[in-house]
Amino acid sequence: MTVVEKSQYDFIQNEIWILTFGGAFQRANIYIAKDLAEQKKSDFKKGIRAFIESTILDNYKTTLVSDENHIQNIKKVSDYSANFSELFNNEKINFGIAQKMLNLYLKYRWSLGHIQSPPHFPVDRIIQELLNKELKAIGIKGEELKAWTQFTDEHHYIKVIKNARELILKKESFANHSLAELELSLFQRR
């Protein structure tokens, strides 16, 4: 990799992480106090970024990751954040915030062609609403909406993923879509 290519790669990585943190922390109210030192927040973001890039990302580069392994990786992100417990209301980021962070990051990397299709998509209110609308149109009741920032475990998240898989199976226009492709299609239809 040339110096210019390295600079371009670093630039894109920084932009991806800015978008990832923005999306994962919006409306999440994760910090104990609003006036926490920016250095502490910065240390956390650098740490979790390095953790994901060095420990988790390689799993997604060349192989399809199973649902079980992906959920374990989400839990690892949440657990890693406990190293910065003094920052957070609940001593670490919860499952919902961790899934949004990891899934957004993987979505960006996949969209750039850097990894295989991610096993899941970022679960938030918008995707829950879009899934429910599509499911209702084919006579299937969707799940009750739940704030993704409040997911303390994987239970509701898994229900959303199962609903998405059912939609892929039952609606011809989504046949053969991966979950990641389904999410992109649903957002384009908005």
Side-chain angles (χ1 to χ4, degrees):
M1 188 180 289
T2 68
V3 173
V4 171
E5 290 171 329
K6 173 85 170 97
S7 295
Q8 290 170 320
Y9 178 83
D10 290 345
F11 169 75
I12 290 298
Q13 279 298 103
N14 288 333
E15 293 299 306
I16 288 171
W17 278 107
I18 289 168
L19 292 169
T20 298
F21 289 132
F25 297 160
Q26 68 183 357
R27 299 181 206 52
N29 194 28
I30 61 168
Y31 296 114
I32 288 176
K34 292 184 189 235
D35 61 348
L36 280 172
E38 287 303 315
Q39 186 59 50
K40 287 183 179 182
K41 291 180 187 178
S42 178
D43 290 346
F44 160 66
K45 289 177 180 178
K46 286 177 187 171
I48 199 123
R49 174 181 172 172
F51 174 75
I52 290 171
E53 289 177 354
S54 66
T55 306
I56 293 178
L57 182 61
D58 280 347
N59 299 315
Y60 297 88
K61 286 186 177 175
T62 57
T63 59
L64 297 176
V65 174
S66 71
D67 287 350
E68 296 79 19
N69 287 339
H70 185 61
I71 288 169
Q72 288 307 311
N73 286 335
I74 293 168
K75 289 178 179 179
K76 287 176 186 176
V77 170
S78 176
D79 291 345
Y80 177 83
S81 73
N83 292 316
F84 301 87
S85 61
E86 72 278 3
L87 296 177
F88 304 115
N89 287 320
N90 296 314
E91 298 186 353
K92 66 180 184 176
I93 60 175
N94 66 24
F95 184 90
I97 295 163
Q99 69 80 23
K100 182 89 181 246
M101 181 187 302
L102 182 58
N103 285 325
L104 266 177
Y105 179 67
L106 294 174
K107 178 181 176 178
Y108 293 133
R109 294 295 303 257
W110 166 64
S111 295
L112 290 168
H114 295 170
I115 64 168
Q116 299 288 318
S117 179
H120 298 163
F121 48 77
V123 174
D124 58 20
R125 182 174 191 84
I126 295 170
I127 194 64
Q128 290 179 77
E129 289 171 345
L130 293 171
L131 280 170
N132 282 349
K133 179 181 174 186
E134 292 290 333
L135 288 166
K136 184 178 180 182
I138 59 172
I140 299 171
K141 185 180 183 314
E143 289 299 319
E144 181 179 332
L145 298 180
K146 186 171 180 183
W148 60 272
T149 57
Q150 303 303 310
F151 294 0
T152 56
D153 59 37
E154 69 272 21
H155 297 296
H156 188 78
Y157 173 85
I158 290 171
K159 289 178 185 178
V160 173
I161 297 302
K162 284 182 180 177
N163 279 343
R165 285 202 170 102
E166 186 165 2
L167 183 61
I168 290 168
L169 288 173
K170 302 270 171 103
K171 190 159 183 180
E172 192 174 322
S173 61
F174 298 125
N176 301 316
H177 278 53
S178 69
L179 288 171
E181 292 165 338
L182 172 67
E183 188 237 9
L184 288 181
S185 294
L186 290 176
F187 272 92
Q188 289 174 350
R189 292 176 173 210
R190 285 179 30 167

